[in-house]
Structures are given as C-alpha cells and as structure tokens.
Amino acid sequence: MEGEQVSLTFEEARAMHAECCVLDLHADTAKLMDKLGYDLAARHERPMPTRVNVFGHVDLPRLRDGGVAGQFFSFWTTPYPERGCTRSVSAQLDALDEAMAKHPDDLAWTRTGAEVRAAKAAGKIAALGGIEGGQALEGTLDAIEPFARRGVRYLGLLHFSANAIGRPAKGRGSDATEGLTGFGRDVVRECERCGVIVDLAHINRKGYFDALELATVPPMVSHTGVLGVHQHWRNIDDEQLRAVADKGGCVGVIFARRYLGSASIEAVVDHLLHIIDVAGDEVAALGSDFDGFVVPPEGLEDVAALPNLTVALSRRGVAPRVLEKILGGNVLRVLDSVPAWGELGPA
Ligand SMILES: [Zn+2]
C-alpha cells in the first residue's frame, strides 16, 4: 500500500486504538450473560485452554485493554422450536440492559456514529446490538420495530437453518436454488424503515444477491471469511465482496481458525488484505465472533489482544490511514449512512 508505511509496536498500536474508533461487528457475549450469569464488568481469565478456547473472550476490562470503542453484541437463538426465539432475543437484551443499568459509567447503548464517538469521549464502551438469525422474528414483520427501539441495529437474516426469510449457506433446510422468500423481501424493506441494517452473514448466495438487489442503504456481513483465501462453505466469494462494496457496505472478518483456514494471526491479515484487493479499502472491518464457540488464532486469544492484529497489519504494509478504516472507520461510515429509527425506548 502506498506511502506512509509504519511497522507498529504493540504500544504504538494501542495508542492508535486510543485515537481512532475501534469497532467489532460480532460477539455472542450477551448469551453467556443471559444463560450463565457471565458478568460483563468483571475481568475473566480465559476459562478454556487454547485449543478449546471457545468462549470467555470479552468483558469490559478487556475491551478497554484492547482499545475497543464499540462492540456489537449479537443475539442468537436456537431455532427449534421457532416459538420462543423472540423471547430469547429479549432475554439477551435484558441481560445487556441490566449490565448497563449497573455500570452506567462504563457502558452505553449506541446506534449511530455520533453516539459511538460520544460514548468514547465520555470514557464508556459503546454497546451496539444485532440479531443473528431471522427466526427471531417468528415470522412476523411486527417484531422488527420493537427490537429497533431496544437498540438492535442489524438483523442477520439467516443462521444455521432455513427460516421464513430464506435459506442458509449450509445447515438444515439449505437449498442453493432458493433465494429470499416473499416474507424475506418484506423483512428487508421493514428493516430499512426501522433503521435496522441487513446482515448477510450465513445466508446462501442466492439470498445474498436477492437482498442486495432490494437494499437501498448499505448492508453488512458481520462475520465471515473469504473464499479467495480459504475454501470453506461459510466464506464468501469475490463477486459477493464487490457487490457489498457497490452498496457502500462493510464486511467483518471472523477470528475463527476453521473459517480462516489457519491458526495464525497472519490468516486474519490475509483475509482482510484480500477484501482490500478485491473490493477496495472502504469495505474491510472486524467481525471477531468472540464468545461464539469458535477458536480464535494465536495472538488473538481474546479481545485484549486486538492490538496484535493492528501490529500484524502494519507489518504487512497497511498504512495508518487504511488501518483506521479497517479497525472501525468503515463501520462508522455505514452507521452514519443508515439513519437509526426513532428513539431508544421500551418495546
Ligand atoms: Zn455466526
């Protein structure tokens, strides 16, 4: 990459995080808070050994250590029975609300770029909400607005199984020939009305392009790898990357060994650089999937280690101007360009 190349030390990377706005698009921590009573405000030693280090990656002290300004908390549900999914998302929102009520000086709900910047200026971690899997709607459009009011800023249309919206890339009910359903199309429109960004992680290729064709505002892919680096059914191809770029969206690279194809932190760099090569430097972002039962690579064992990635990127020649975009600038741009709907408040 051009000019201004600097190879950063960990401390310099940390200092850069303090200056810019670092945002991660995907962590499943709220489920741990809801189901296991995981205390977001307490510092946790990583509970699992490295090879099965599948959760316990995120808490407020380590978000601060990592220099993270904002974290998307993604609310996921087991889809069978579909009934109960709306309630399950609500319970995860309750758990986050409760943490916020207990620690108002440390954590704040945010939805817009301005709110994220204000939280950072006030010394708080910005919390943003997302849903993983459209089964959370239980087949009704009416569920979207109340979720938006509670802070949900993106909706992942699919997860690991078919739902009323469409088909997953793989899993129960997958079918590459089927795209979005009629209801799925209505969901994309209703999301736009409510200021909820469409997240295309996990959806099959046909549904992906159906959703993009309908979208009038930037979408995101909150957590994924890319096929240009590693062949895995979960990853997306170059055409999918360019299509998101054309819509002004962003793509968060997942920190999961199996989708990266390697246990090395350099693999995360490879996936990010491939996105830049194919789709330009306005698209690449971070989508760790921390606490999502994935094993992160060496050097990224938890969110506190995030400056290691900034160091690794700088060593591969990524200029500070581009680093800031990858670390959060591209996500802020998407947040700024999709107006949030109404005011935060009770459902
Ligand atoms: Zn996922």
Side-chain angles (χ1 to χ4, degrees), residues 175-210:
D175 178 346
T177 67
E178 296 285 333
L180 285 188
T181 63
F183 175 71
R185 292 169 184 279
D186 290 342
V187 166
V188 171
R189 294 184 193 103
E190 178 67 0
C191 280
E192 291 200 358
R193 188 185 73 80
C194 295
V196 174
I197 296 164
V198 169
D199 174 10
L200 300 172
H202 290 286
I203 195 170
N204 70 356
R205 200 168 184 282
K206 195 165 194 311
Y208 186 104
F209 285 107
D210 284 350

Side-chain angles (χ1 to χ4, degrees), residues 11-345:
E11 286 314 314
E12 287 166 343
R14 187 61 190 74
M16 174 182 261
H17 288 203
E19 286 301 312
C20 65
C21 247
V22 177
L23 282 155
D24 179 74
L25 284 173
H26 202 102
D28 287 349
T29 319
K31 184 70 131 189
L32 305 179
M33 295 161 68
D34 172 36
K35 292 292 181 196
L36 303 176
Y38 186 85
D39 182 358
L40 190 66
R43 180 182 294 278
H44 299 73
E45 296 299 325
R46 279 187 291 107
M48 308 293 274
T50 300
R51 74 195 143 69
V52 282
N53 173 28
V54 292
F55 67 88
H57 304 138
V58 174
D59 52 45
L60 293 179
R62 286 181 293 162
L63 282 162
R64 291 190 187 282
D65 288 353
V68 175
Q71 177 68 58
F72 273 88
F73 292 91
S74 207
F75 314 118
W76 65 272
T77 58
T78 43
Y80 304 106
E82 198 165 332
R83 231 157 97 207
C85 289
T86 302
R87 198 175 59 236
S88 169
V89 169
S90 295
Q92 293 171 73
L93 279 158
D94 290 346
L96 206 51
D97 277 345
E98 203 179 301
M100 229 161 287
K102 269 194 206 159
H103 306 283
D105 296 333
D106 293 305
L107 190 63
W109 269 118
T110 59
R111 295 175 305 164
T112 65
E115 287 168 357
V116 170
R117 291 182 189 95
K120 183 177 169 77
K124 302 178 188 187
I125 302 284
L128 302 101
I131 291 174
E132 180 163 33
Q135 67 271 9
L137 306 180
E138 296 183 13
T140 165
L141 293 179
D142 298 341
I144 297 173
E145 186 179 308
F147 282 140
R149 292 190 70 87
R150 292 199 64 182
V152 168
R153 190 66 157 118
Y154 71 61
L155 172 66
L157 300 179
L158 269 295
H159 199 192
F160 284 120
S161 57
N163 61 33
I165 294 171
R167 309 283 184 152
K170 191 166 178 171
R172 183 162 159 173
S174 64
D175 178 346
T177 67
E178 296 285 333
L180 285 188
T181 63
F183 175 71
R185 292 169 184 279
D186 290 342
V187 166
V188 171
R189 294 184 193 103
E190 178 67 0
C191 280
E192 291 200 358
R193 188 185 73 80
C194 295
V196 174
I197 296 164
V198 169
D199 174 10
L200 300 172
H202 290 286
I203 195 170
N204 70 356
R205 200 168 184 282
K206 195 165 194 311
Y208 186 104
F209 285 107
D210 284 350
L212 282 181
E213 201 180 311
L214 280 173
T216 66
V217 295
M220 53 174 59
V221 185
S222 70
H223 59 308
T224 190
V226 295
L227 282 166
V229 178
H230 181 60
Q231 284 295 320
H232 189 286
W233 58 263
R234 171 78 172 74
N235 293 346
I236 62 175
D237 65 31
D238 292 356
E239 199 183 332
Q240 288 176 293
L241 289 172
R242 283 188 211 103
V244 162
D246 287 346
K247 288 282 182 177
C250 63
V251 175
V253 166
I254 196 168
F255 302 171
R257 295 179 184 197
R258 68 171 175 267
Y259 307 131
L260 294 168
S262 164
S264 165
I265 193 170
E266 296 301 326
V268 182
V269 178
D270 292 338
H271 284 251
L272 287 165
L273 292 183
H274 183 81
I275 294 172
I276 292 174
D277 282 348
V278 167
D281 59 22
E282 304 279 309
V283 180
L286 309 178
S288 66
D289 209 8
F290 278 142
D291 291 333
F293 296 90
V294 296
V295 182
E298 287 158 18
L300 275 178
E301 284 84 0
D302 64 10
V303 71
L306 196 58
N308 286 331
L309 178 60
T310 305
V311 169
L313 283 160
S314 75
R315 288 192 180 146
R316 297 277 291 274
V318 179
R321 177 185 64 80
V322 178
L323 270 176
E324 290 191 10
K325 291 184 186 183
I326 297 173
L327 291 173
N330 289 336
V331 175
L332 281 178
R333 188 200 69 242
V334 172
L335 292 177
D336 284 341
S337 54
V338 182
W341 178 86
E343 296 293 318
L344 284 172

